Amino acid sequence: TETMTQYVIDGSAVLHLAPFHHGRLVPFIAGGAGYIRDLHEGSELIETGVEYHGLAGIKWWFSDHPNRLGIRGEGGFSIRNGGFDFRDERRTVPIATAGLVYIF
């Protein structure tokens, strides 16, 4: 067996879909790209790659105050090229996340 650590550093642009905004519910789409770095056990072997992603989701705010708390859920896909894989080809990976958000 071998231990491998993968780091993905990425960024996204988010577009809030204002025409579909309904009360405290705000839908959005997002897309971006990133850098993949795979470290094999003991950092003896390093492999790098790129990642592109597309997402759609919603934010639901608990209040209308300027400083507010809410929840965010999103789903989409990530296309990865490079890094460690048993096959040398581009991979598509599903993404699903949920979390708390806060506006200062």
Side-chain angles (χ1 to χ4, degrees), residues 18-96:
F20 302 103
H21 175 91
H22 183 68
R24 296 181 182 165
L25 183 72
V26 181
F28 65 89
I29 57 174
Y35 170 77
I36 298 172
R37 184 175 183 96
D38 293 340
L39 304 171
H40 295 259
E41 193 164 359
S43 298
E44 295 174 3
L45 180 60
I46 298 172
E47 297 189 30
T48 61
V50 293
E51 181 269 349
Y52 305 97
H53 57 271
L55 305 163
I58 59 167
K59 293 179 187 175
W60 187 76
W61 300 106
F62 297 134
S63 71
D64 292 327
H65 298 285
N67 295 341
R68 58 188 162 192
L69 181 68
I71 56 174
R72 174 180 168 146
E74 60 191 25
F77 61 91
S78 169
I79 299 171
R80 298 173 179 206
N81 194 9
F84 177 75
D85 194 8
F86 293 109
R87 297 171 292 171
D88 249 353
E89 60 186 41
R90 187 173 33 215
R91 304 168 308 283
T92 302
V93 179
I95 299 172

